[in-house]
Amino acid sequence: MSIRRADTLGGKAAIVGIGATEFSKDSGRSELKLAVEAVRAALDDAGLTPADVDGLVTFTMDTSPEITVAQAAGIGELSFFSRIHYGGGAACATVQQAALAVAAGIADVVVCYRAFNERSGRRFGSGVQRREPTAEGAALGWNLPYGLLTPASWVAMAAQRYLHAYGLGPEVFGHVAVLDRRHAARNPAAYFHGKPITLADHAASRWIVEPLRLLDCCQETDGGQALVVTSVERARDLPRPPAVVVAAAQGAGRAQEQMTSFYRDGLTGLPETAVVARQLWRGSGLTPADIDVGILYDHFTPFVLMQLEEFGFCGPGEAGDFVAADALPLNTHGGQLGEAYLHGMNGIAEAVRQIRGTSVNQVAGAVRSLVTAGTGVPTSGLVLGADD
């Protein structure tokens, strides 16, 4: 999708299958096994077999190569395989890549997957420890000597400026945490099933990096998630209602870095999200008022507020009140704070469930879902809709 004009991708592909492993803190098996379990579960859900698959998409961070997953899952020849960079920012872009391949006739059935042992294995929350010399590493090097070593510390810089600019206190972030945990409490697949929290719980949780508390930070999770994408025409012959890709976009802003874009003109917004938002609204012809449910990437609560503002659901500095008022159903699976941290792929699955009408926190009459990917990095987004 051009940042200057609408594209023609919308309505040509759909998500027809979703599958996941359990979400845990110690999976007890390899990341490859997690990936294969999720892929097979997604194919079963779609009513397809490994023999139907001719494309795979994953993240550059994933440790299970496409050809290895294909071999282990019983998939044969591949005509398309692709990987998306920038961590959680890749989530929705995996579906975009799959939809592009299907729309262009390069592949018929593409599976997007992500699997990791992010709790029992490499923990992203532990921050930068060892890094090969790269241009990205050089950019981080301007911040590491000053103690900005972890994702929480990088986000805290922007979060502190946001609070200062709008005269708010850190309790405003608690609305996101409480909402996510309320939904997770009713979701049997969520790690925090049956464990809602209050604003008082949020305020009592320990500081991680001011102004972020423990309950402002997403989980670290072991697990896998997969999604099956095919043409809308083929989707109509499959057992599940399709979630049509109405629009898909990627975005990087000016002066973009990975989580450390501190030299922009301001720190109270997410320019990369604004790039995605403009494309999604232009490509879909929709506005915020047309969205029935939002699945917003919530690795840290402040960036949920900034996303709502960048997408135009409310004005600058108003998102805390917007969330508190339940003005839009958000993160009905519990988000990455409440369900699991699967780099946003589990959020796409929840958007599909909302379109199907099968979410445990179903929004009545939901026909359009907005999904976003990781923020603070080059990112991506989707609008999914019911088949007309």
Side-chain angles (χ1 to χ4, degrees):
M1 178 184 289
S2 169
I3 61 173
R4 299 174 181 84
R5 63 182 184 277
D7 73 297
T8 59
L9 180 61
K12 295 183 178 178
I15 300 175
V16 296
I18 55 177
T21 67
E22 82 288 357
F23 305 134
S24 73
K25 301 302 181 186
D26 187 1
S27 72
R29 52 206 192 275
S30 70
E31 293 180 335
L32 174 60
K33 187 168 179 57
L34 293 172
V36 171
E37 287 180 20
V39 168
R40 286 176 173 165
L43 289 170
D44 288 344
D45 182 65
L48 296 169
T49 70
D52 294 307
V53 178
D54 51 7
L56 290 169
V57 186
T58 188
F59 292 47
T60 56
M61 277 189 174
D62 203 278
T63 61
S64 301
E66 300 92 319
I67 55 173
T68 308
V69 170
Q71 183 178 19
I75 296 168
E77 296 176 336
L78 297 174
S79 59
F80 177 74
F81 38 93
S82 179
R83 287 191 169 215
I84 314 295
H85 196 25
Y86 305 119
C92 295
T94 64
V95 175
Q96 182 192 39
Q97 287 276 300
L100 286 166
V102 167
I106 295 171
D108 292 324
V109 176
V110 182
V111 179
C112 308
Y113 66 91
R114 179 75 173 105
F116 52 42
N117 284 318
E118 203 276 321
R119 173 70 184 199
S120 64
R122 177 197 170 192
R123 298 177 65 174
F124 299 144
S126 63
V128 177
Q129 296 180 342
R130 294 180 298 276
R131 179 175 285 272
E132 294 295 320
T134 64
E136 292 171 342
L140 281 175
W142 290 107
N143 300 285
L144 302 182
Y146 303 100
L148 299 179
L149 298 170
T150 65
S153 68
W154 302 329
V155 172
M157 294 283 283
Q160 192 72 274
R161 185 62 187 174
Y162 179 88
L163 296 179
H164 173 78
Y166 299 119
L168 302 169
E171 64 276 3
V172 72
F173 303 143
H175 297 302
V176 176
V178 169
L179 177 144
D180 275 14
R181 289 289 293 273
R182 183 175 77 231
H183 289 142
R186 295 193 290 264
N187 176 6
Y191 185 77
F192 285 116
H193 177 232
K195 297 179 180 179
I197 60 170
T198 64
L199 286 174
D201 294 328
H202 172 266
S205 64
R206 63 183 174 87
W207 293 114
I208 299 300
V209 182
E210 291 190 50
L212 300 182
R213 297 183 178 276
L214 176 66
L215 293 178
D216 291 309
C217 305
C218 70
Q219 301 182 69
E220 294 174 296
T221 303
D222 289 5
Q225 179 79 59
L227 315 160
V228 181
V229 178
T230 191
S231 69
V232 171
E233 291 74 19
R234 185 168 187 177
R236 290 169 180 154
D237 294 328
L238 297 175
R240 307 286 188 181
V244 176
V245 179
V246 176
Q250 286 183 280
R254 291 185 177 90
Q256 180 82 60
E257 295 180 5
Q258 288 202 75
M259 302 297 293
T260 59
S261 303
F262 302 139
Y263 296 96
R264 290 169 165 169
D265 293 338
L267 292 180
T268 59
L270 296 165
E272 62 278 1
T273 297
V275 175
V276 170
R278 291 195 301 269
Q279 294 177 84
L280 291 181
W281 297 145
R282 185 188 301 119
S284 66
L286 302 173
T287 71
D290 298 311
I291 299 300
D292 299 309
V293 58
I295 309 296
L296 303 188
Y297 197 93
D298 57 340
H299 52 344
F300 297 98
T301 57
F303 280 179
V304 173
L305 303 185
M306 294 184 196
Q307 287 178 82
L308 287 166
E309 293 166 14
E310 295 286 11
F311 271 94
F313 287 99
C314 55
E318 297 176 355
D321 290 339
F322 182 90
V323 173
D326 281 329
L328 174 71
L330 291 171
N331 293 351
T332 48
H333 57 319
Q336 298 182 110
L337 279 76
E339 184 186 58
Y341 176 68
L342 258 294
H343 259 161
M345 296 292 275
N346 53 318
I348 303 174
E350 173 63 11
V352 173
R353 287 189 289 267
Q354 286 288 346
I355 299 301
R356 291 178 174 180
T358 60
S359 171
V360 294
N361 293 299
Q362 183 63 41
V363 176
V367 294
R368 297 188 186 96
S369 297
L370 169 68
V371 194
T372 65
T375 44
V377 295
T379 189
S380 54
L382 296 168
V383 175
L384 301 179
D387 189 22
D388 295 331

